[in-house]
């Protein structure tokens, strides 16, 4: 029987746990944890993601600040803002919401963040520490997937995990985490990407299939082995006049088509998305507790 990996329910449970911890903890800085977010331009999806993060902070009793900048801010101007946040002792951690406008080099901006405040876990130092299994902030989306598997007691050890997508924020770190010697890990990992030949041959061999390529309903039953665990990271907005907001969200997996075949599956929405937000809160808590650096 197929079971749902329900990120909406689990994320609520973890938020309640964090809320209790925040209320009961005396933090080294003598105030609740404080997350800041840099938002550049007016992209609707980015605005929605930042709003979700800020609302989640409010729910758990953390402080939050959004710094909004016009689309035409220069790279140097943005780097100055990052530096100000690095030096601001009232902020424990901060994120730069991606994507940034084309004229700004995202790598330069992400690398300017103090690793101790990099609660998105994108800085090379945090990625390096993650790779070496040292204490670090894990990238929020892969971390959320690990938590989803862990809290649902999904066995990963010795399994063949196939990850589709090699982005720095999802696919690549995910592949590293699943191969680590850790409670959720110990997988034999295959990383597929846009140049992979005969994708279906790889996906059909997966005990655990993690899909992060950003193409709506790309994966169907022909790609999936019976009994597989399916994690759908993709989020694509599809125009839909029947919806009040004019669109609906669709994953990279054709849910209805695949559902009956697999043992576990994440829905979209309500799967990986809410777990990403909760991971950011967990990292912010670690930053305020000075538990990593
Ligand atoms: P990306 O565009 O940076 O990377 C996509 C990857 O897919 C690339 O590495 C590419 O090689 C691979 N790819 C593209 N076409 C392919 C094909 N035909 N076969 C095999 N591989 C192929 O995307 P990303 O930032 O990793 O995001 C992926 C998806 O996940 C997007 O839909 C994004 O919106 C979503 N996302 C969701 C969350 C969440 O919290 N749920 C977080 C981040 C990203």
């Amino acid at each position: 029987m197929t079971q749902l990996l329900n990120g909406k329910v689990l994320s609520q449970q973890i938020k309640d746990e964090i809320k209790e911890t925040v209320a009961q903890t005396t933090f080294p800085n003598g105030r609740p944890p404080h997350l800041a977010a840099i938002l550049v331009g007016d992209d609707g999806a980015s605005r929605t993601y930042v709003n979700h993060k800020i609302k989640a902070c409010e729910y758990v009793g953390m402080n939050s600040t959004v710094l909004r900048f016009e689309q035409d801010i220069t790279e140097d101007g943005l780097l100055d803002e990052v530096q100000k946040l690095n030096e601001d002792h009232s902020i424990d951690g901060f994120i730069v919401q991606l994507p940034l406008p084309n004229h700004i080099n995202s790598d330069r901006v992400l690398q300017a963040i103090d690793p101790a405040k990099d609660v998105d876990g994108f800085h090379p130092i945090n990625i390096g520490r993650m790779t070496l299994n040292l204490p670090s902030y894990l990238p929020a989306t892969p971390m959320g997937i690990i938590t989803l598997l862990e809290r649902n007691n999904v066995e990963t050890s010795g399994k063949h995990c196939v990850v589709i997508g090699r982005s720095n924020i999802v696919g690549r770190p995910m592949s590293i985490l699943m191969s680590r010697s850790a409670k959720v890990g110990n997988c034999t990992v295959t990383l597929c990407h846009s140049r992979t030949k005969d994708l279906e041959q790889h996906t059909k061999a997966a005990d655990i299939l993690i899909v992060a390529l950003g193409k709506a309903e790309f994966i169907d039953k022909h790609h999936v082995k019976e009994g597989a665990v399916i994690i759908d990271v993709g989020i694509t907005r599809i125009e839909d006049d029947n919806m009040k907001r004019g669109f609906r969200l669709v994953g990279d997996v054709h849910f209805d088509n695949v559902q009956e075949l697999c043992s576990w599956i994440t829905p979209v929405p309500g799967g990986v998305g809410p777990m990403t937000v909760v991971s950011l809160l967990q990292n912010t808590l670690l930053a305020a507790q000075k538990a990593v650096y």
Side-chain angles (χ1 to χ4, degrees):
M1 198 189 72
T2 307
Q3 298 185 77
L4 210 57
L5 285 164
N6 192 327
K8 196 172 170 195
V9 169
L10 179 59
S11 65
Q12 184 57 47
Q13 203 177 316
I14 298 175
K15 274 192 284 185
D16 287 331
E17 292 166 12
I18 296 173
K19 187 176 183 172
E20 207 177 318
T21 306
V22 169
Q24 287 174 1
T25 306
T26 307
F27 290 94
N29 283 328
R31 51 157 180 78
H34 188 171
L35 174 75
I38 288 182
L39 179 59
V40 179
D42 202 28
D43 176 65
S46 293
R47 242 186 309 137
T48 305
Y49 294 143
V50 168
N51 283 343
H52 284 155
K53 291 166 188 175
I54 296 307
K55 262 175 73 180
C57 281
E58 283 169 10
Y59 181 82
V60 300
M62 291 183 182
N63 297 331
S64 56
T65 300
V66 185
L67 297 152
R68 294 184 176 80
F69 300 102
E70 298 293 333
Q71 180 80 8
D72 61 359
I73 186 172
T74 62
E75 185 174 300
D76 283 345
L78 194 56
L79 288 169
D80 283 347
E81 297 299 334
V82 166
Q83 195 49 34
K84 280 187 212 159
L85 289 176
N86 284 341
E87 289 165 10
D88 184 342
H89 295 296
S90 75
I91 306 280
D92 297 300
F94 65 98
I95 62 163
V96 178
Q97 185 64 45
L98 301 176
L100 290 171
N102 289 338
H103 66 277
I104 295 179
N105 180 333
S106 303
D107 287 339
R108 271 195 79 199
V109 174
L110 295 179
Q111 286 171 28
I113 298 174
D114 177 351
K117 291 192 172 188
D118 168 42
V119 286
D120 250 342
F122 294 160
H123 192 283
I125 295 218
N126 280 313
I127 296 289
R129 292 173 72 126
M130 172 194 79
T131 305
L132 299 173
N133 228 349
L134 297 170
S136 68
Y137 302 118
L138 299 182
T141 301
M143 177 176 171
I145 293 170
I146 295 288
T147 308
L148 204 50
L149 293 169
E150 183 174 7
R151 299 281 278 247
N152 284 283
N153 296 312
V154 177
E155 181 60 72
T156 60
S157 182
K159 306 285 185 190
H160 183 195
C161 175
V162 175
V163 179
I164 310 181
R166 59 180 162 186
S167 72
N168 290 341
I169 62 171
V170 188
R172 191 182 305 283
M174 196 68 239
S175 69
I176 294 167
L177 288 171
M178 294 306 280
S179 74
R180 288 199 312 182
S181 175
K183 191 169 170 210
V184 176
N186 287 313
C187 285
T188 303
V189 176
T190 301
L191 179 58
C192 298
H193 47 76
S194 52
R195 300 289 180 96
T196 297
K197 291 199 173 120
D198 198 358
L199 184 71
E200 198 176 309
Q201 173 210 323
H202 296 289
T203 58
K204 271 197 102 82
D207 301 312
I208 302 171
L209 180 61
I210 303 178
V211 192
L213 77 160
K215 294 187 174 163
E217 298 182 333
F218 182 87
I219 293 294
D220 65 21
K221 62 183 176 188
H222 302 294
H223 294 93
V224 175
K225 177 169 87 173
E226 198 168 345
V229 176
I230 310 286
I231 308 287
D232 187 356
V233 185
I235 304 175
T236 303
R237 287 182 174 199
I238 303 281
E239 271 185 41
D240 187 341
D241 294 339
N242 296 322
M243 305 292 282
K244 218 167 98 184
R245 56 190 177 178
F247 65 87
R248 65 193 159 90
L249 299 179
V250 173
D252 286 349
V253 177
H254 198 306
F255 186 92
D256 293 338
N257 182 276
V258 159
Q259 189 188 13
E260 279 185 7
L261 260 183
C262 48
S263 55
W264 293 91
I265 187 165
T266 57
V268 177
V272 175
M275 294 305 298
T276 298
V277 176
V278 108
S279 303
L280 184 64
L281 296 178
Q282 288 173 310
N283 280 342
T284 305
L285 189 59
L286 291 174
Q289 290 168 327
K290 306 209 179 295
V292 177
Y293 289 90

